Amino acid sequence: MRAVWLRDFGAPTQLRIEDTPDPTPAPETVLVDVAYANITFVETQVRAGNGPYRPSLPTIPGNGVGGLVRAVGEGVDPALVGTRVVGSTGGSGGYAEAALVAADVLYRVPDALALDAAVAVLADGRTASLLTEAAKIKPGDRVLIEAAAGGVGTLLIQLAKAAGGTVIALAGGARKTELATGLGADQAIDYLDPAWPAHLEAGVDVVFDGVGGATGSTAFEQLRPGGRILTYGLASGHWTVIADDEARARDVTIIRPTAGPEDMRRLTESALRAAADGTLRPVIGQRLPLERAAEAHAAIEARQTVGKTLLVTGRDSARDR
């Protein structure tokens, strides 16, 4: 098979495609012929050597994949062979034409859902669902979504709107703010304008903070008494730092959602069903062939992408299933 290897931390050009032996499924794992591999912003940080974790090198990056089950290990139902699935590799092995996925984090793709859409909604869908559930949005709540044109942000717009929130999308540039409005945001603000907080004089009740740093801190300042900030990402490279006593003084709750395996399965299955019936629409802004993984990373780092970016292996024999 072909796989993308990272042998040294650094620039996107460190990602190089190589011929690699196919992996063999161990007990309780399956071998998936990968059609699509998900790319996340965190993976670009990890590749550069400044992410929230530091893998041992060399490694094949990539966590979320979708395709057909080719083989199963001991303890896994052989009837899975040939079925369309999505799943997580555990943090490595995804940027490849074949990948191993543990059976307990494997999901059948609903018949009505395209495989690329299932991969796009796999991780971002459960994250957005977890955040929305934890936020307890009430009808009329003013909800500020940072990085609103990204994979999680585009889904948060839809979920927050469905919960009855007045959605305010924060994104960089006209292309991204227009996308947010098209997804249902009531207001879209360009954060590239240094005066963007002036558009929030009425304040907000909920902040979904996927950027961190100065943006997260400024968003926190817009919260009204009784507000909630849910910090889940650090696209800026730094987490939002909020002192607990400052939050208490302003009557603001800081929420850092977590979920156990059972909740993660429930949230993932819910997101896949919602995507299948059309109530949740993942935005796939970019599809690049496996050998252009470095280009994909560079585009994400340069903030040139919208929605989800997928690597395509050319093995989507399941497209017409």
Side-chain angles (χ1 to χ4, degrees):
M1 70 173 187
R2 299 180 307 153
V4 176
W5 284 88
L6 176 66
R7 298 189 176 277
D8 295 289
F9 295 114
T13 51
Q14 293 294 343
L15 296 172
R16 300 185 180 94
I17 197 160
E18 302 177 17
D19 289 328
T20 306
D22 285 1
T24 301
E28 305 299 331
T29 67
V30 305
L31 178 64
V32 177
D33 277 324
V34 175
Y36 303 98
N38 173 35
I39 302 180
T40 67
F41 187 82
V42 168
E43 288 168 2
T44 70
Q45 296 173 311
V46 170
R47 183 220 71 239
N50 55 17
Y53 63 92
R54 195 174 180 89
S56 299
L57 300 183
T59 187
I60 299 171
N63 187 43
V65 298
L68 296 183
V69 176
R70 185 202 305 180
V72 301
E74 183 181 348
V76 182
D77 185 356
L80 278 173
V81 173
T83 60
R84 300 191 313 153
V85 296
V86 290
S88 303
T89 65
S92 64
Y95 296 4
E97 291 180 327
L100 296 176
V101 177
D104 62 348
V105 291
L106 192 74
Y107 300 86
R108 289 178 182 261
V109 176
D111 291 341
L113 184 59
L115 187 54
D116 55 354
V119 176
V121 84
L122 172 65
D124 290 350
R126 65 184 170 223
T127 298
S129 298
L130 172 65
L131 290 165
T132 305
E133 194 173 271
K136 294 182 171 59
I137 297 169
K138 303 182 295 295
D141 275 349
R142 288 171 56 80
V143 181
L144 178 64
I145 300 171
E146 301 170 8
V152 175
T154 52
L155 299 177
L156 281 173
I157 290 172
Q158 299 169 61
L159 291 172
K161 191 67 179 174
T166 297
V167 176
I168 305 159
L170 191 62
R175 177 190 179 206
K176 295 183 178 182
T177 55
E178 289 170 6
L179 171 64
T181 301
L183 289 170
D186 298 280
Q187 181 182 1
I189 300 172
D190 186 351
Y191 75 81
L192 297 178
D193 176 2
W196 68 261
H199 296 279
L200 295 169
E201 290 181 353
V204 297
D205 301 291
V206 177
V207 169
F208 288 116
D209 174 30
V211 175
T215 298
S217 297
T218 303
F220 166 75
E221 294 169 359
Q222 314 311 310
L223 281 163
R224 302 192 281 206
R228 293 89 75 199
I229 181 168
L230 296 93
T231 297
Y232 69 94
L234 67 165
S236 66
H238 304 281
W239 291 104
T240 298
V241 177
I242 303 169
D244 289 340
D245 57 352
E246 182 181 5
R248 283 193 297 270
R250 297 191 53 215
D251 190 22
V252 167
T253 301
I254 304 170
I255 302 174
R256 298 181 179 89
T258 59
E262 290 185 3
D263 278 333
M264 291 300 283
R265 176 159 287 277
R266 173 181 61 83
L267 292 164
T268 304
E269 291 175 345
S270 173
L272 289 169
R273 286 195 302 270
D277 67 23
T279 58
L280 191 63
R281 179 165 65 91
V283 175
I284 303 173
Q286 303 75 216
R287 296 174 176 84
L288 289 92
L290 193 63
E291 60 269 20
R292 292 170 62 188
E295 182 180 333
H297 270 230
I300 291 171
E301 286 182 324
R303 306 295 201 273
Q304 295 173 345
T305 61
V306 296
K308 179 55 60 183
T309 300
L310 299 181
L311 292 178
V312 182
T313 68
R315 292 191 173 190
D316 190 5
S317 58
R319 179 179 294 276
D320 299 322
R321 286 175 177 253

